[in-house]
Amino acid sequence: MTIDSLKFISDTLTGAGINYEFWEWTSPVTYPYFVGEYSESEPVNEDGMQESEVILNGFTRESYLELETAKSKIETLFSNMTTILPNGNGLAIFYAGSFVVPTGDEELKKIEIHLRINEWKVN
């Protein structure tokens, strides 16, 4: 996964009004907020495609409805989205599902949202 694709995802989320940071939350907490991480598969395609998965972990101390509302917005944003990145790579993002995660803290609620990423490198 390239820096350009990570930046595109971050810019899309924050542009839609979703509190998001990559890897760890470092800003003052404003609920709900999302922290992203990714994993890559071994490239097996001759066409330069790299498959990755982005996991968005969402947190709130309010209600699960806040997380479900944000999930719905994220699902709409990344419903079969395609673009060409500034580095020339092609990017396709697909909403791949979500689930609620118990935290062990009755006040803290968490949701995990999965995005499937296909990126075609031109170099």
Side-chain angles (χ1 to χ4, degrees):
M1 190 159 214
T2 63
I3 292 171
D4 283 349
S5 61
L6 291 171
K7 183 176 181 340
F8 178 82
I9 292 167
S10 177
D11 290 348
T12 301
L13 289 168
T14 57
I18 295 170
N19 298 319
Y20 172 80
E21 289 190 24
F22 179 70
W23 198 252
E24 66 180 335
W25 191 259
T26 59
S27 301
V29 173
T30 303
Y31 293 110
Y33 71 87
F34 287 81
V35 176
E37 59 186 85
Y38 74 91
S39 64
E40 296 175 329
S41 301
E42 180 180 347
V44 293
N45 296 322
E46 294 177 2
D47 64 358
M49 185 182 76
Q50 171 73 56
E51 292 182 291
S52 304
E53 179 179 44
V54 169
I55 300 172
L56 304 174
N57 294 294
F59 301 91
T60 190
R61 290 197 177 272
E62 301 299 323
S63 72
Y64 279 111
L65 184 58
E66 271 191 323
L67 294 175
E68 288 296 324
T69 300
K71 178 195 84 166
S72 179
K73 187 183 275 190
I74 291 167
E75 183 176 6
T76 301
L77 281 170
F78 296 114
S79 178
N80 299 324
M81 174 183 272
T82 59
T83 191
I84 302 297
L85 298 172
N87 65 4
N89 290 359
L91 186 69
I93 305 174
F94 307 93
Y95 174 83
S98 68
F99 56 92
V100 174
V101 179
T103 64
D105 177 342
E106 66 183 50
E107 292 180 13
L108 185 64
K109 286 111 178 125
K110 179 180 178 183
I111 192 168
E112 188 172 297
I113 299 171
H114 292 247
L115 303 175
R116 191 177 79 235
I117 313 297
N118 294 339
E119 184 173 2
W120 288 266
K121 297 180 181 176
V122 294
N123 295 329

